[in-house]
Amino acid sequence: MGRSRYTFTETDKPHFLTCTIMEWLPLFIRPYIVDHLLNCWRYQQTHHDLKLYGYVILENHLHFVAQAPDLSKCLSQFKSFTARQIIDDLQSKGADKALQRLRFSKRAHKQDRVYQLWQEGSHAEMVYSESVMRQKLEYIHNNPVKRGYVDFPEQWRYSSARNYAGMPGLIDVQCWY
């Protein structure tokens, strides 16, 4: 999981996580790139017992609440797999400016790669109560509203707010309430 010092000590509790693109590049405006994120989560739901309670994907970062027997490993694999997929796509589509920025912003200690997609760490917070879960889900779902992108949370395509509103979402989530 990069150089983050956070350890998931209570695997029976969900965690609120944030993942951010280097330099806050707006890469998630491309649907084919967002598909890599969703497909990775789907795989982890099936093969690693990932429980995804809520998520939002914005143009340059994402928030989600999840739980898994080994959430640290899931997060590390998520970042590693999606980074490879997204960088491969950017290369195949000739997105040279984005790639140049990802090369320039790569941390000096990352000697094993040319590009760095994700910022280090994930700002993990344990969700230890019902009220904290509600607060985190409201924050996640209202993020696009607060930014002025939509009027109502369920209007944002890349959010579990649709699932919680009884609408079909892009990925299955474990609705908390």
Side-chain angles (χ1 to χ4, degrees):
M1 193 173 62
R3 298 172 63 85
S4 174
R5 301 286 183 245
Y6 189 87
T7 305
F8 298 95
T9 55
E10 296 192 47
T11 58
D12 61 326
K13 302 257 190 313
H15 284 72
F16 170 79
L17 302 141
T18 300
C19 300
T20 306
I21 297 291
M22 295 297 290
E23 292 194 21
W24 294 81
L25 286 176
L27 297 180
F28 300 147
I29 59 172
R30 298 169 176 91
Y32 68 90
I33 288 181
V34 174
D35 285 344
H36 293 306
L37 307 174
L38 298 171
N39 288 335
C40 187
W41 277 332
R42 285 184 192 104
Y43 178 87
Q44 290 182 325
Q45 286 173 320
T46 302
H47 295 85
H48 298 289
D49 199 24
L50 177 76
K51 291 182 175 79
L52 187 63
Y53 294 103
Y55 73 94
V56 66
I57 302 168
L58 297 161
E59 71 277 6
N60 50 24
H61 70 287
L62 57 90
H63 301 288
F64 63 108
V65 178
Q67 180 179 345
D70 192 346
L71 189 55
S72 180
K73 183 177 178 182
C74 278
L75 182 60
S76 177
Q77 289 175 341
F78 174 81
K79 285 179 135 183
S80 177
F81 178 79
T82 57
R84 280 194 311 275
Q85 295 293 307
I86 291 167
I87 288 167
D88 286 351
D89 264 352
L90 293 173
Q91 288 174 322
S92 73
K93 296 197 179 350
D96 295 330
K97 287 188 182 209
L99 289 166
Q100 182 179 22
R101 300 249 327 254
L102 294 173
R103 182 184 303 119
F104 177 77
S105 64
K106 179 182 74 91
R107 299 294 179 238
H109 66 273
K110 300 282 187 179
Q111 298 296 321
D112 62 335
R113 65 198 72 179
V114 176
Y115 307 103
Q116 183 175 343
L117 182 82
W118 296 107
Q119 289 183 12
E120 292 180 352
S122 58
H123 314 289
E125 295 177 44
M126 186 171 57
V127 178
Y128 54 86
S129 70
E130 175 94 19
S131 64
V132 172
M133 178 63 90
R134 285 187 180 278
Q135 183 255 333
K136 296 302 183 190
L137 289 172
E138 285 177 22
Y139 174 81
I140 285 171
H141 294 155
N142 283 304
N143 216 295
V145 176
K146 191 169 130 184
R147 288 171 160 247
Y149 298 158
V150 293
D151 293 326
F152 301 100
E154 60 273 9
Q155 292 173 328
W156 190 252
R157 179 173 175 75
Y158 303 120
S159 170
S160 58
R162 298 164 67 90
N163 304 75
Y164 280 85
M167 301 166 60
L170 296 176
I171 186 171
D172 291 333
V173 296
Q174 308 259 154
C175 287
W176 186 261
Y177 51 83

